[in-house]
Amino acid sequence: MSDKPIHLVILVGSNREGRFAPVIANWFTEQVRSNADFTVDVIDLADAALPAAISDTPSAEAVSFCERLAAADAFVMVVPEYNHSFPAVLKHAIDFGYHEWQAKPVGFVSYGGFAAGLRAVEHLRGVMAELHAMTMRDTVSFQNPWDAFDDQGHAVRPDGCAAAAAVMLHQLKWWATALRQARRAEPYIEAPTVPNKQDLADVG
């Protein structure tokens, strides 16, 4: 396997006023930075300044955003649960890319109430499958995260969440390394269109 570090892009998927996302994103970023197998780029969607419309003539901000996605070997989405799903700002950002997501692994750090944001994650799995991305089975999730961190942003019970992060990062490293090698050996393309009956008749 390649010794080159995995370049991980962390997407902070909330722009709601008073959001808790930065606390969790900062904690997770520190977990990644303590792991020599990764380099990290954090994109806070509250600051990304993506335009409201997706255009054939993209803005400089949209071009920069997609370039940062393209440079990634893997992604992690820090996502809260809004109304049993994930925030609109995250879906909007996902839709700016297409090929940038393909054949790359995606992990999730979720938070919320009783369900710990996992309903948002399950919705995201379907979206990312449509974009030919590979989602990690294991997540890092926080139930009632306001009670899980102190005023300095440190985890109150660090061992459990750090262990969950280590498991997910191990999975991300394996998949990112394997998929990076595969993309280099043969560029990823979608399956060809299935021929219709007329095409088959012409061949026959």
Side-chain angles (χ1 to χ4, degrees), residues 10-197:
I10 298 173
L11 290 166
V12 185
S14 170
N15 64 348
R16 180 174 286 186
E17 185 176 354
R19 65 199 176 126
F20 199 75
V23 174
I24 295 178
N26 290 340
W27 169 83
F28 183 73
T29 300
E30 289 306 309
Q31 304 301 304
V32 179
R33 286 181 173 151
S34 67
N35 188 324
D37 293 327
F38 293 88
T39 59
V40 64
D41 178 20
V42 180
I43 303 177
D44 189 337
L45 296 181
D47 301 324
L50 292 172
I54 298 175
S55 170
D56 291 336
T57 55
S59 67
E61 290 82 4
V63 170
S64 175
F65 176 71
C66 288
E67 286 175 346
R68 291 168 77 178
L69 296 185
D73 296 308
F75 304 97
V76 165
M77 297 178 179
V78 178
V79 55
E81 183 176 313
Y82 293 173
N83 302 319
H84 284 215
S85 192
F86 56 94
V89 67
L90 181 53
K91 181 60 164 64
H92 185 58
I94 289 169
D95 290 343
F96 270 92
Y98 186 71
H99 299 290
E100 295 85 353
W101 301 108
Q102 291 184 343
K104 296 178 182 179
V106 183
F108 303 103
V109 177
S110 69
Y111 64 98
F114 180 77
L118 292 174
R119 289 174 293 210
V121 170
E122 291 309 306
H123 286 187
L124 278 165
R125 291 189 190 280
V127 173
M128 300 317 297
E130 179 66 17
L131 291 166
H132 301 255
M134 176 67 194
T135 60
M136 300 299 94
R137 177 201 179 276
D138 291 274
T139 66
V140 182
S141 56
F142 293 93
Q143 186 182 72
N144 298 320
W146 310 274
D147 300 326
F149 292 86
D150 63 21
D151 292 340
Q152 286 73 46
H154 301 135
V156 174
R157 294 174 293 278
D159 292 346
C161 53
V167 168
M168 188 175 72
L169 288 172
H170 174 76
Q171 293 177 5
L172 279 168
K173 179 190 174 185
W174 192 96
W175 280 103
T177 302
L179 290 172
R180 182 169 64 187
Q181 291 175 341
R183 291 194 309 273
R184 288 175 178 172
E186 181 176 352
Y188 182 82
I189 59 171
E190 298 172 36
T193 302
V194 177
N196 61 34
K197 292 182 179 179

